[in-house]
Structures are given as structure tokens and as C-alpha cells.
């Protein structure tokens, strides 16, 4: 990651400017449940991998499991509600932030609630806004930045962050307009614990992040929940949230919220609910799991929702085969995505359908079907034609070989212990074989790890990868996925880009008119079909289930996730 990295990642933490990776894997024994003293306890069964790091602005912390932990621990200026409406946080701020462009520059003003404090008693102030900006504005060390920063989207557009009124008024002035400014400062960082005048020292702090075993710096919190390091058990993969004693808003309705990693094994989830060892689960839906949970009614309530996440393939353009656009296009043309949907998510929801857009999902009003006709059904003949144009010849076993690149064998990596994704790839394999491509399945537990794990997305030691992006209502959050790697890797794990796409993305994120921004986003997607570095498969359904005596549970199928309002959860008398 180099230079300005003006990316729009989809990252974990309320309304961040980055996209969250959806793991859905791993396993462990479920934790205990049931009411205790005080206001009781709820055990949430986490189906994704146990978080490696709790710092959301680096690759190691860019996971849904990180968001699960810190989403209501760290403060945000704006929050995404269950209906995807974006509202300012009335606990953190004293009034709705303002936008002013009358002076020729975009200026936003935030007024911090006088009662807002960190859990160590330090007032939340403009210093926290200013540090959060400075920590994320650049990935270029020569510019005071840090190359391990996941996304600089929006922060790179800011010229200055200044405080007044004893630090309770924050004025943010932009050098370049940023339409989705409400997506910024979605997670404040505690300046008094993290800031340094030495750029290298600050970058080292960023790079290390917050390893889960150690928790947050000095157990810091400024939300209704707190993570005390003594309440983290990495061996058993359990994190216990307790009420923040310095929280100035309405106190949580529970005395404990236990986050227990249970993996994506349907048996564990169903038995946990049936035995009342688990209060809430949010697994990747699978047919048997959905049916078994529905059979637990009326003691257990459940719901399937189509939100802002989508399943897709990334093609690594640094691979000897996939560096060739014809190979990437041939791979995509070989697939029958209708059949993939029918054999996977279509098994438990008749609303499931193929996704033909990367920047919007099917039920967003801005969605357009931008897919060329040759990708709308399996087209193995055209796929073979493209391969032959690139110098491949078909062997006696039907698989193509290149005189310099060798046999056209592509390994598809995905998350471990995920039956739905395994099925997805198993449906793909014979389709690809019909086009002369030898594809194999590989469950990689390191897929979302940092660059020190050679097969991770960040390290780039893979050929093709199947996973999900979990988005926000802000289209700018897609920028880091598709921006050329010359601008910093960001979340562009396909490692390719074009000046045309870069220009369209830059215009998209700075266009204040939402209709014009949507038009630019669809132009981006149209160009991405020609580039074919990523292939959307389907909008990903979410599935939430919970004991009927737990009140106020509501799915939020955005980055905010199912614990978005967990401080409001209560146990029925």
C-alpha cells in the first residue's frame, strides 16, 4: 500500500469507509447461557473466525468478528440503522453535524456532547477527531502516513481538522469534496492513548493494531459496552462485554453480553439454541440449519434478510494465468451463475438471485444490471475461443495448456469450515471443466490474515478467492476495492486497475448529487465487467435466530451487524 490510497474499503465499525470481509468459518465449543444476577446475560454465538486483531483500520482487523466486538464499544458520529437509514449519534454528539459549501470548500462542523467521555474519564474532544483523521489520511510514509492503513477513503480529501470551544466543536475542512462524509469518523480513536509526534512510532502502533489477546489500550471504551482484557479468553474463543461504567447514555439492559465463537457448524448452532446455551446466532444460512431452527419455534424466533453483503470471486492478476484478461473472462463465461444460486442460497430462499453489479445489490434503488449478455449464462464455447486466442491449446484430457504458462489449473481459495462456499465451488468445478479449466477447492484458514501469511488476500499468494463483501449504504466505500494498486493496495486484492476506472471512482466519491454519483457508480461497474478482475455471484442472505425471551433483537444486514443495538437487548421477566 503506497501513495495516498484513496480507498473506499468496506471495514468493520459502524459506518466506516471500508468494506468488511465475511469469514463464516472456524469452530469451538459454545459457551454457557441463561440469566444470571443483575439484568442477566445473553450468549451470542459468533459464526465467523475469532478476531485476530481488534483494530479495524488494518487488514488483520478487517473482519465481521472485529465489528461484532467493537461496534458498540468505540464511539461513532453516525450509525447505520436496520433499515439502512444513516443517523447521527445523539449520545456522542450534541446536535446534528452541519455541511456548508458556501465558501467554495466543503466544511463539516460537529458538536460533541459535553457528557461524552472515554472510560478512563478523559473527555472526547476534537483531538480524537484530529488523530483519527491523521492516522488514516495517507498510506505514504513520506507524507507522514502508514502503508498498513487499510483505507484512506474520505480522510485523504480532508485539509484540516480543528477544535474550538474547549475541544467540543470540531471543524473539518476538505481540500476536495467528499459526498459520503457521514461515513467518516465512524470509529473514533483515543488520541490521548495512541497519538505520537513521531510518524514512524505512530505507524508502528497502527501496524501492530490491537491483538485480540491484549484487548484495547487500557481497556478503553466510549460506548455502552466495554471489553476488559481479563474478559478475553483466546483459548476458548470467548469475549465478554460488560457495561461501560462511564457511559453517559442509557445503560445496557444486560449485565453481560458473551461473544462465543461457535464456528459455522449447523449442529452446534441448533443444539446451542435448543439447549438454551446460546441466546442469539447469526450464521451463514444453510438449508438444513434454517429448517432445523425454524422447527424450534415458538421458543426460538428467526428471520432471513437480504442486506448489503454479496458473494463474489476475486481473480489475482499477478498469477501467471489470471494476469491475462482473456483467461479471467473465460473463467467467468464458463460459469452458470443461475445454477450456482439454485444449488446454494436458492435452496432456502426463493428471493435469491444472481447479482450483476458490484457496487449495488439487487434491492437497492440504484441497482442496474450491467452484465454483458455473454456472462448471463454458461458460455463455454466463447470461453474456449478466448483461451485459444491467448495461445492455449486443449490437451487430451480436455484441459487447456499454454506453452509458457503451463496447465490451466486454478485453485479457488475460500474460508474454512463453510459448507455453503464449498458447495459453491463444487458446482463451479464441472462448469469450468467444460470450458477446459481445471479448478480445485481449497479451504484456507489464513485467507483474511495479514501479509505475514503468504496465502492471505493481503499477501497475494492465491489464484482465485471466494468470499463476501459486507458493505454500507455509502457507495464510496467501494473505492478501495477497485482503485489501481498504484494508489496503494487498499482492498484491491485482484491487484489490477485502469486509469479510466480510477477517474470514474474519483468523480463518484466527490460528486454531491446522489443521482449523479449513482450514475458514475454504474459506469464504474460497466468498466469492471470489461476488466473482469472480480465476478459478483449473488446478494448474500443473512439469517438471525434468537431465544424468544430476548427482547429488541433486530437484524442489521449492513456492516453494523446483529449487535448494532445490543445495549437495548433485555430478558423478558
Amino acid at each position: 500500500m503506497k501513495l495516498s490510497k484513496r480507498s473506499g474499503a468496506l471495514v468493520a465499525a459502524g459506518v466506516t469507509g471500508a468494506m468488511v470481509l465475511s469469514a463464516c468459518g472456524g469452530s469451538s465449543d459454545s459457551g454457557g447461557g441463561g440469566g444470571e444476577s443483575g439484568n442477566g446475560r445473553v450468549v451470542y454465538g459468533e459464526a465467523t473466525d475469532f478476531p485476530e486483531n481488534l483494530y479495524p483500520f488494518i487488514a488483520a482487523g478487517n473482519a465481521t468478528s472485529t465489528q461484532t466486538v467493537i461496534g458498540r464499544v468505540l464511539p461513532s458520529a453516525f450509525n447505520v440503522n436496520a433499515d439502512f437509514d444513516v443517523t447521527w449519534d445523539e449520545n456522542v454528539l450534541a446536535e446534528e453535524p452541519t455541511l456548508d459549501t458556501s465558501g467554495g470548500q466543503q466544511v463539516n462542523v460537529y458538536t460533541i456532547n459535553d457528557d461524552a467521555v472515554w472510560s478512563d474519564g478523559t473527555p472526547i474532544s476534537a483531538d480524537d477527531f484530529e488523530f483519527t483523521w491523521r492516522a488514516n489520511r495517507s498510506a505514504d510514509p513520506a507524507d507522514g502516513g502508514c502503508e498498513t492503513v487499510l483505507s484512506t477513503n474520505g480522510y485523504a480529501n480532508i485539509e484540516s481538522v480543528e477544535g474550538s470551544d474547549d475541544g467540543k466543536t470540531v471543524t473539518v475542512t476538505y481540500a476536495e469534496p467528499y459526498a459520503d462524509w457521514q461515513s467518516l469518523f465512524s470509529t473514533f480513536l483515543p488520541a490521548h492513548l495512541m497519538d505520537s509526534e513521531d510518524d514512524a512510532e505512530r505507524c508502528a502502533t497502527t501496524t501492530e493494531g490491537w491483538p485480540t489477546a491484549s484487548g484495547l489500550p487500557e481497556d478503553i471504551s466510549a460506548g455502552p459496552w466495554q471489553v476488559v482484557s481479563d474478559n478475553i479468553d483466546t483459548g476458548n474463543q470467548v469475549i465478554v462485554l460488560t457495561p461501560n461504567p462511564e457511559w453517559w447514555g442509557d445503560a445496557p439492559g444486560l449485565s453481560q453480553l458473551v461473544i462465543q465463537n461457535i464456528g459455522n457448524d449447523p449442529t452446534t448452532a441448533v443444539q446451542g439454541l435448543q439447549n438454551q446455551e446460546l441466546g442469539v446466532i447469526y450464521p451463514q444460512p444453510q438449508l438444513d440449519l434454517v429448517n432445523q431452527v425454524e422447527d424450534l419455534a415458538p421458543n426460538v424466533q428467526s428471520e432471513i434478510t437480504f442486506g448489503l453483503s454479496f458473494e463474489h470471486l476475486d481473480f489475482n492478476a499477478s498469477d501467471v494465468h489470471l494476469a491475462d484478461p482473456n483467461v479471467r473472462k473465460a473463467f467467468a463465461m464458463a460459469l452458470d451463475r443461475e445454477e450456482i444460486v439454485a444449488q446454494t442460497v436458492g435452496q432456502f430462499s426463493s428471493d435469491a438471485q444472481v447479482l450483476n453489479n458490484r457496487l449495488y445489490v439487487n434491492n437497492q434503488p440504484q441497482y442496474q444490471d450491467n452484465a454483458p449478455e455473454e456472462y448471463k449464462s454458461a458460455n463455454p464455447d466463447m470461453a474456449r475461443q478466448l483461451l485459444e486466442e491467448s495461445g492455449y491449446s486443449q490437451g487430451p484430457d480436455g484441459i487447456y495448456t499454454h506453452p509458457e504458462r503451463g496447465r490451466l489449473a486454478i485453485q479457488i481459495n475460500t474460508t474454512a469450515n463453510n459448507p455453503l462456499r464449498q458447495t459453491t465451488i463444487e458446482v463451479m468445478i464441472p462448469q469450468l471443466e467444460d470450458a477446459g479449466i481445471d479448478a480445485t477447492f481449497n479451504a484456507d484458514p489464513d485467507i483474511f490474515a495479514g501479509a505475514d501469511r503468504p496465502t492471505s488476500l493481503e499477501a497475494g499468494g492465491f489464484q482465485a478467492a471466494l468470499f463476501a463483501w459486507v458493505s454500507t449504504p455509502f457507495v464510496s466505500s467501494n473505492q478501495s476495492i477497485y482503485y489501481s494498486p498504484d494508489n496503494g493496495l487498499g482492498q484491491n486484492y485482484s491487484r489490477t486497475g485502469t486509469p479510466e476506472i480510477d477517474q470514474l471512482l474519483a468523480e463518484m466519491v466527490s460528486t454531491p448529487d446522489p443521482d449523479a454519483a449513482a450514475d458514475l457508480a454504474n459506469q464504474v461497474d460497466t468498466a469492471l465487467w470489461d476488466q473482469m478482475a472480480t465476478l459478483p455471484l449473488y446478494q448474500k442472505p443473512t439469517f438471525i435466530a434468537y431465544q424468544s425471551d430476548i427482547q429488541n433483537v433486530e437484524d442489521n444486514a449492513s456492516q453494523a451487524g446483529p449487535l448494532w443495538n445490543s445495549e437495548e437487548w433485555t430478558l423478558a421477566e
Side-chain angles (χ1 to χ4, degrees):
M1 306 180 210
K2 298 184 179 3
L3 304 177
S4 67
K5 199 193 300 182
R6 298 192 179 191
S7 47
L10 294 145
V11 92
V15 192
T16 63
M19 204 164 208
V20 179
L21 302 167
S22 182
C24 298
S27 64
S28 82
D29 294 333
S30 62
E36 289 191 333
S37 60
N39 294 320
R41 175 182 66 174
V42 166
V43 179
Y44 170 76
E46 175 61 65
T48 68
D49 291 332
F50 192 73
E52 174 185 343
N53 202 291
L54 298 178
Y55 187 72
F57 297 113
I58 57 175
N62 181 39
T64 53
S65 54
T66 296
Q67 163 65 13
T68 297
V69 176
I70 68 167
R72 299 303 292 151
V73 169
L74 296 178
S76 301
F78 284 86
N79 298 312
V80 177
N81 297 325
D83 60 0
F84 309 141
D85 188 28
V86 179
T87 57
W88 59 281
D89 193 308
E90 297 184 20
N91 288 302
V92 174
L93 303 176
E95 58 188 33
E96 184 173 5
T98 62
L99 166 65
D100 183 7
T101 58
S102 61
Q105 282 184 294
Q106 178 177 332
V107 178
N108 297 122
V109 177
Y110 303 79
T111 304
I112 301 170
N113 187 337
D114 287 337
D115 295 329
V117 296
W118 295 97
S119 54
D120 61 4
T122 302
I124 295 176
S125 74
D127 292 344
D128 301 311
F129 277 76
E130 194 275 340
F131 173 69
T132 301
W133 162 59
R134 197 157 26 90
N136 292 285
R137 70 175 186 81
S138 174
D140 184 2
D143 186 35
C146 185
E147 57 186 4
T148 55
V149 171
L150 183 68
S151 169
T152 65
N153 187 45
Y155 293 109
N157 296 47
I158 294 174
E159 178 179 284
S160 65
V161 177
E162 298 176 333
S164 58
D165 300 328
D166 293 326
K168 288 299 183 180
T169 299
V170 186
T171 302
V172 180
T173 304
Y174 288 75
E176 299 176 26
Y178 187 63
D180 284 339
W181 59 274
Q182 292 176 331
S183 68
L184 303 180
F185 305 107
S186 59
T187 299
F188 304 169
L189 296 173
H192 65 292
L193 297 180
M194 297 184 66
D195 200 2
S196 171
E197 295 181 1
D198 186 310
D199 292 339
E201 182 179 343
R202 189 175 66 250
C203 182
T205 299
T206 293
T207 301
E208 179 184 7
W210 301 331
T212 301
S214 302
L216 277 62
E218 298 187 17
D219 296 338
I220 201 68
S221 168
W225 294 111
Q226 184 174 19
V227 182
V228 177
S229 56
D230 288 345
N231 290 335
I232 299 174
D233 182 347
T234 57
N236 290 309
Q237 299 190 334
V238 177
I239 297 175
V240 180
L241 305 184
T242 53
N244 171 10
E246 297 298 320
W247 175 244
W248 59 96
D250 292 338
L254 302 170
S255 59
Q256 287 187 342
L257 178 55
V258 181
I259 301 170
Q260 165 73 67
N261 184 275
I262 63 169
N264 207 40
D265 175 31
T267 301
T268 301
V270 173
Q271 288 183 351
L273 287 174
Q274 192 169 28
N275 299 335
Q276 297 188 333
E277 295 174 338
L278 295 174
V280 182
I281 62 169
Y282 199 63
Q284 179 162 293
Q286 302 168 47
L287 181 59
D288 289 346
L289 170 65
V290 171
N291 290 341
Q292 290 178 53
V293 169
E294 289 178 346
D295 287 343
L296 299 178
N299 295 327
V300 172
Q301 299 184 38
S302 62
E303 179 184 16
I304 290 177
T305 305
F306 282 85
L308 298 180
S309 63
F310 68 94
E311 202 83 353
H312 76 293
L313 284 165
D314 266 16
F315 302 119
N316 189 344
S318 65
D319 175 73
V320 64
H321 297 293
L322 295 169
D324 185 340
N326 276 357
V327 176
R328 302 195 299 265
K329 292 177 180 179
F331 192 114
M333 287 178 186
L335 296 180
D336 183 344
R337 291 180 297 142
E338 294 281 0
E339 179 65 15
I340 291 170
V341 169
Q343 295 298 322
T344 55
V345 289
Q347 294 286 307
F348 49 80
S349 176
S350 59
D351 293 328
Q353 56 186 308
V354 169
L355 178 67
N356 283 322
N357 196 308
R358 298 162 183 81
L359 279 77
Y360 297 110
V361 291
N362 304 78
N363 56 0
Q364 287 183 281
Q366 304 91 342
Y367 176 84
Q368 292 180 12
D369 181 343
N370 296 317
E373 286 300 319
E374 58 266 30
Y375 297 111
K376 290 188 176 180
S377 60
N379 199 338
D381 291 340
M382 186 174 288
R384 286 190 290 266
Q385 180 181 335
L386 287 176
L387 293 175
E388 290 168 10
E389 287 177 4
S390 287
Y392 287 84
S393 58
Q394 202 163 16
D397 61 352
I399 302 301
Y400 278 91
T401 302
H402 192 277
E404 297 174 357
R405 305 170 191 168
R407 182 179 174 85
L408 184 50
I410 304 295
Q411 179 176 275
I412 306 172
N413 286 12
T414 193
T415 51
N417 301 318
N418 193 308
L420 193 68
R421 288 195 175 126
Q422 181 171 344
T423 300
T424 298
I425 295 173
E426 288 172 347
V427 173
M428 290 179 180
I429 288 172
Q431 296 176 357
L432 291 163
E433 187 177 9
D434 285 346
I437 300 171
D438 179 18
T440 53
F441 162 83
N442 181 50
D444 182 9
D446 292 335
I447 189 169
F448 298 143
D452 59 324
R453 309 287 179 86
T455 61
S456 70
L457 295 171
E458 187 179 12
F462 69 97
Q463 292 181 288
L466 172 69
F467 61 99
W469 286 123
V470 186
S471 188
T472 75
F474 303 108
V475 71
S476 63
S477 62
N478 293 275
Q479 187 182 18
S480 69
I481 304 172
Y482 308 115
Y483 218 36
S484 295
D486 290 344
N487 301 292
L489 178 64
Q491 294 174 298
N492 185 348
Y493 301 126
S494 63
R495 292 166 167 78
T496 188
T498 69
E500 174 199 4
I501 293 172
D502 287 355
Q503 180 61 34
L504 287 169
L505 286 166
E507 293 179 26
M508 178 189 78
V509 302
S510 62
T511 299
D513 182 343
D515 292 335
D519 180 65
L520 287 163
N522 278 297
Q523 290 182 51
V524 169
D525 184 60
T526 299
L528 290 170
W529 281 103
D530 183 60
Q531 181 192 61
M532 192 48 72
T534 70
L535 177 66
L537 298 178
Y538 51 79
Q539 184 180 7
K540 194 162 179 275
T542 59
F543 180 61
I544 193 166
Y546 54 95
Q547 303 289 347
S548 297
D549 65 345
I550 305 175
Q551 299 177 332
N552 302 322
V553 176
E554 183 178 9
D555 188 13
N556 186 324
S558 74
Q559 273 186 11
L563 270 60
W564 71 284
N565 70 336
S566 54
E567 70 272 20
E568 298 176 10
W569 295 2
T570 59
L571 293 175
E573 296 293 335

